[in-house]
């Protein structure tokens, strides 16, 4: 590498009319030449030009090579890097491993939360679709009216088929377990199959119904078994014993469609009296037996038009039934939410239970807050009151346990009395839910 040499000379600026000044360094050598343009404003600043440093000589008299400039421009060398110990390296690895595990846990928690939100949205969507499918207008489309083909042999039965076709309701002609009957099936949502409704409508003519009345009357008079009844009533009773069905008998006579008289119980009584010699009391006895003992409803109609109207009414009622059952699933639906419902909040530490106990006693008739306060002061919990009842031997002592307690109200004192004491006793010890406390 060639040695750098520099002479102590004046550096003249480009302008001929200028003067210059030299600034010596600490070693006495000229490092910077300061020039000023004479043509410029005298107040202008000096222009400095940096010159390369002069070479230095070692102790042996030789010129040392210049080291290249550092990138950071700092002339001082960086201190030596401190070597880490194994414990520090292991601690750093452990910290990095913990950070990685924490990131993995956070990522898994976010994925789990996202999956739970997606499942919750799916459940809400399915619940909304299920609720929508249970609405009467949608449930009506999934109902099918199943008609026994034997009914089509009666005059005027085409009115039923024409009405169902006009309303665009589904119906099918298939043999039923009970002859001359009409049943309903409902398709479940999302293709889950179909269920058969419990309603069964049996359309009988006047002649068939009179045979049934005679059979029931003979059975009641002879106190015989149900197997001795007529062949038409026996399948009905077998069906009721085998399945939980609700049978409705529609008694109609097609021959009375052109009559001017109103068809009903009076006409039936007249027919039975004239043809069979049965009294009104006998007919009423048969009707009571069918309705109360066998849970068979009887409806007297005039012609197939009224039969059709009855079938349409039952179909509409069945379409509304699933939605009503859904709205009545909540426990105690008559209890409303809200602060105005006079509810008492019970905390986790048990505070508020004494107010609940007081409200429970005040639910009884003619039990004032003062009476309830007296009872809970003597027995702070229902369990203590029940234990007091069990400790007494006689029934009369249990009924009068609270009768002698003093009630302070309005500056006056009075006793609870035997009536309220007996009512509280019956309320907390009775096993019959239908028992009248007063």
């Amino acid at each position: 590498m060639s040695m750098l040499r520099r002479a102590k000379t004046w550096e003249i600026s480009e302008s001929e009319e200028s003067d210059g000044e030299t600034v010596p360094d600490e070693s006495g050598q000229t490092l910077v030449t300061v020039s000023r343009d004479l043509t410029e404003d005298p107040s202008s600043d000096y222009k400095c030009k940096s010159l390369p440093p002069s070479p230095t000589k070692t102790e042996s008299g030789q010129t040392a090579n210049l080291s290249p400039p550092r990138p950071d421009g700092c002339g001082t060398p960086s201190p030596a890097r401190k070597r880490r110990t194994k414990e520090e390296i292991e601690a750093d690895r452990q910290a990095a491993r913990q950070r990685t595990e924490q990131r993995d846990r956070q990522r898994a928690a976010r994925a789990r939360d996202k999956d739970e939100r997606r499942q919750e949205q799916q459940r809400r969507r399915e619940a909304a679709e299920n609720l929508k499918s249970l609405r009467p207008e949608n449930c009506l489309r999934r109902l099918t009216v199943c008609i026994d083909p034997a009914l089509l042999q009666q005059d005027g039965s085409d009115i039923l088929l024409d009405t169902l076709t006009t309303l665009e309701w589904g119906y099918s002609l298939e043999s039923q377990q009970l002859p001359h009957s009409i049943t309903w099936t409902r398709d479940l949502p999302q293709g889950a199959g179909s269920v058969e409704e419990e309603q069964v409508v049996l359309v009988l003519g006047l002649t068939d119904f009179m045979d049934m009345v005679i059979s029931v009357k003979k059975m009641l008079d002879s106190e015989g078994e149900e197997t001795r009844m007529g062949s038409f009533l026996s399948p009905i009773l077998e069906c009721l014993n085998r399945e939980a069905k609700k049978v409705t008998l529609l008694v109609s006579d097609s021959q009375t469609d052109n009559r001017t008289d109103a068809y009903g119980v009076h006409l039936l009584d007249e027919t039975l009296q004239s043809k069979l010699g049965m009294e009104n009391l006998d007919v009423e006895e048969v009707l009571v037996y069918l309705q109360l003992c066998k849970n068979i409803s009887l409806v007297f109609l005039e012609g197939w038009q009224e039969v059709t109207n009855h079938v349409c009414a039952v179909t509409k009622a069945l379409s509304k039934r699933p939605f009503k059952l859904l709205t009545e699933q909540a426990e105690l639906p008559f209890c409303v939410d809200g602060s105005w419902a006079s509810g008492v909040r019970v905390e986790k530490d048990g505070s508020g239970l004494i107010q609940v106990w007081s409200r429970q006693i005040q639910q009884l008739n003619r039990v004032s807050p003062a009476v309830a306060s007296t009872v809970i002061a003597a027995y702070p919990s229902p369990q203590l009151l029940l234990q007091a009842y069990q400790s007494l031997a006689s029934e009369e002592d249990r009924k009068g346990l609270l009768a002698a307690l003093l009630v302070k109200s309005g500056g006056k004192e009075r006793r609870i009395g035997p009536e309220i004491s007996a009512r509280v006793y019956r309320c907390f010890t009775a096993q019959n839910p239908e028992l009248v406390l007063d």
Side-chain angles (χ1 to χ4, degrees):
M1 180 183 295
S2 61
M3 305 299 293
L4 299 179
R5 299 178 180 277
R6 185 181 58 187
K8 299 180 180 180
T9 59
W10 293 90
E11 182 175 346
I12 308 300
S13 62
E14 294 179 357
S15 176
E16 295 179 357
E17 299 178 357
S18 63
D19 56 356
E21 297 179 1
T22 60
V23 182
D25 60 355
E26 296 178 357
S27 62
Q29 297 179 352
T30 302
L31 297 179
V32 180
T33 302
V34 182
S35 62
R36 183 180 63 182
D37 195 347
L38 301 178
T39 60
E40 295 178 354
D41 186 19
S43 62
S44 60
D45 299 332
Y46 287 97
K47 300 179 180 179
C48 298
K49 295 183 179 181
S50 299
L51 296 179
S54 60
T56 59
K57 293 184 179 181
T58 62
E59 295 179 356
S60 61
Q62 296 180 355
T63 304
N65 295 334
L66 298 178
S67 60
R70 297 182 180 278
D72 53 359
C74 181
T76 59
S78 60
R81 191 172 183 180
K82 185 178 179 181
R83 296 176 61 88
R84 297 186 301 170
T85 61
K86 294 182 178 180
E87 291 77 5
E88 294 177 349
I89 295 175
E90 185 63 26
D92 293 342
R93 290 178 180 175
Q94 185 68 19
R97 191 180 302 110
Q98 292 178 357
R99 289 193 297 269
T100 303
E101 293 177 356
Q102 184 177 4
R103 287 194 300 268
D104 294 341
R105 288 193 297 267
Q106 293 176 355
R107 191 180 299 108
R110 288 194 297 267
R112 185 169 56 254
D113 295 341
K114 184 177 180 180
D115 186 58
E116 291 178 357
R117 289 194 299 268
R118 182 169 59 254
Q119 293 179 1
E120 181 65 22
Q121 293 176 358
Q122 181 67 19
R123 286 193 295 267
R124 291 181 179 178
R125 191 180 302 108
E126 292 178 357
E129 293 177 356
N130 188 25
L131 180 62
K132 183 178 179 180
S133 63
L134 293 180
R135 293 189 177 277
E137 59 273 10
N138 296 327
C139 188
L140 187 60
R141 301 189 184 99
R142 299 197 304 270
L143 280 175
T144 302
V145 183
C146 304
I147 305 173
D148 189 73
L151 291 175
L152 302 181
Q153 300 177 2
Q154 301 182 12
D155 297 336
S157 59
D158 54 342
I159 299 177
L160 176 61
L161 300 181
D162 295 341
T163 304
L164 296 177
T165 304
T166 304
L167 296 175
E168 297 181 355
W169 293 354
Y171 68 91
S172 64
L173 301 177
E174 54 187 29
S175 300
Q176 304 295 321
Q177 295 181 357
L178 298 178
H180 301 84
S181 64
I182 300 176
T183 59
W184 286 264
T185 58
R186 178 169 51 90
D187 297 333
L188 297 177
Q190 300 177 355
S194 60
V195 294
E196 186 176 353
E197 300 290 345
E198 60 183 4
Q199 296 291 335
V200 177
V201 171
L202 204 62
V203 183
L204 297 181
L206 183 58
T207 305
D208 297 332
F209 180 73
M210 286 190 297
D211 295 339
M212 180 185 298
V213 171
I214 295 173
S215 301
V216 175
K217 181 59 179 174
K218 290 181 179 179
M219 188 272 299
L220 294 177
D221 292 340
S222 61
E223 297 181 357
E225 299 295 334
E226 296 178 355
T227 55
R228 298 181 182 179
M229 294 185 180
S231 59
F232 193 81
L233 185 59
S234 297
I236 300 177
L237 299 179
E238 292 177 1
C239 179
L240 292 176
N241 294 331
R242 184 175 60 254
E243 301 177 6
K245 295 292 185 179
K246 294 183 179 180
V247 180
T248 302
L249 295 181
L250 301 183
V251 182
S252 175
D253 190 1
S254 59
Q255 298 179 358
T256 62
D257 291 341
N258 298 326
R259 296 182 182 180
T260 57
D261 297 338
Y263 180 77
V265 180
H266 298 290
L267 181 59
L268 176 63
D269 293 342
E270 295 177 359
T271 304
L272 293 175
Q273 289 177 7
S274 61
K275 294 184 178 180
L276 305 177
M278 298 180 65
E279 300 294 337
N280 294 339
L281 185 61
D282 298 334
V283 177
E284 292 178 358
E285 183 182 0
V286 172
L287 298 180
V288 168
Y289 173 79
L290 293 176
Q291 294 182 7
L292 298 184
C293 299
K294 300 303 179 182
N295 197 21
I296 299 176
S297 302
L298 292 172
V299 180
F300 298 96
L301 301 176
E302 182 180 357
W304 268 94
Q305 184 59 51
E306 293 188 1
V307 172
T308 302
N309 296 339
H310 183 85
V311 172
C312 293
V314 174
T315 305
K316 291 181 180 180
L318 292 177
S319 66
K320 298 177 182 179
R321 184 180 182 183
F323 188 78
K324 289 184 178 180
L325 292 178
L326 181 64
T327 56
E328 295 176 359
Q329 284 181 355
E331 185 178 2
L332 300 179
F334 53 85
C335 294
V336 294
D337 298 331
S339 59
W340 61 273
S342 300
V344 177
R345 182 180 179 85
V346 179
E347 303 295 341
K348 293 182 179 180
D349 57 353
S351 59
L353 288 175
I354 193 69
Q355 288 82 3
V356 175
W357 173 222
S358 177
R359 295 288 181 87
Q360 186 176 2
I361 300 176
Q362 293 180 41
Q363 290 179 352
L364 302 176
N365 293 334
R366 298 183 300 278
V367 175
S368 62
V371 175
S373 300
T374 303
V375 174
I376 65 177
Y379 304 97
S381 68
Q383 186 66 26
L384 295 177
L385 180 60
L386 293 177
Q387 291 177 0
Y389 284 142
Q390 294 174 359
S391 63
L392 299 177
S394 63
E395 188 77 9
E396 295 297 330
D397 294 340
R398 297 190 189 100
K399 291 182 179 180
L401 176 64
L402 306 177
L405 297 179
L406 294 178
V407 180
K408 297 181 180 180
S409 177
K412 299 180 181 180
E413 292 185 357
R414 62 182 180 88
R415 299 185 184 276
I416 291 181
E419 181 182 356
I420 296 179
S421 178
R423 193 184 311 128
V424 174
Y425 170 73
R426 287 193 297 269
C427 177
F428 288 97
T429 60
Q431 301 295 329
N432 182 13
E434 304 295 335
L435 179 64
V436 179
L437 299 178
D438 292 335

